[in-house]
Amino acid sequence: KCIQLLETYYVRHGIGVVGPTGAGKTTMMETLAAGLSAIDVKHVLLRMNPKAITAPQMFGKMDPTTGDWTDGVFAVLWRKGTKAKNQNTWIVLDGPVDAIWIENL
């Protein structure tokens, strides 16, 4: 499975790793990131649980009174990952897949 994830990583920008609790998804991602860090550029995993927060907390929201935008957790992680130099950042949405938040990605 780790080799399949590596091959998919080379040809895709977004990957979904799904399976039952305890199947080794997290271990596989951490092992692959560590291996790629050892032979290539550093790989960092940033995690969040999208089911633990509301959609506005995850993606951000517009203040109706002032029109100011407040970034959500996902936007903050995305910005942090894109600003990091000399490393590849994986944003891991760790938790049950939900049709509502997955459609908003």
Side-chain angles (χ1 to χ4, degrees):
K1 293 299 176 186
C2 197
I3 298 298
Q4 289 176 338
L5 180 59
L6 174 65
E7 291 171 347
T8 305
Y9 168 67
Y10 284 140
V11 296
R12 300 280 185 242
H13 293 288
I15 302 170
V17 179
V18 296
T21 302
K25 301 177 299 291
T26 300
T27 302
M28 179 183 58
M29 287 185 286
E30 290 172 348
T31 301
L32 182 57
L36 289 170
S37 295
I39 63 169
D40 194 22
V41 67
K42 182 179 178 181
H43 284 65
V44 175
L45 280 68
L46 302 177
R47 289 179 170 64
M48 67 172 286
N49 182 349
K51 291 291 283 184
I53 55 178
T54 64
Q57 290 171 327
M58 181 172 173
F59 298 109
K61 62 182 176 183
M62 179 81 68
D63 185 313
T65 307
T66 64
D68 291 336
W69 176 259
T70 303
D71 283 340
V73 175
F74 188 79
V76 169
L77 292 177
W78 189 280
R79 188 168 289 115
K80 181 178 179 180
T82 57
K83 285 185 179 180
K85 301 297 180 205
N86 300 321
Q87 75 179 30
N88 289 335
T89 304
W90 297 351
I91 300 175
V92 179
L93 305 179
D94 196 359
V97 176
D98 182 280
I100 295 170
W101 67 258
I102 202 79
E103 284 183 16
N104 290 322
L105 286 179

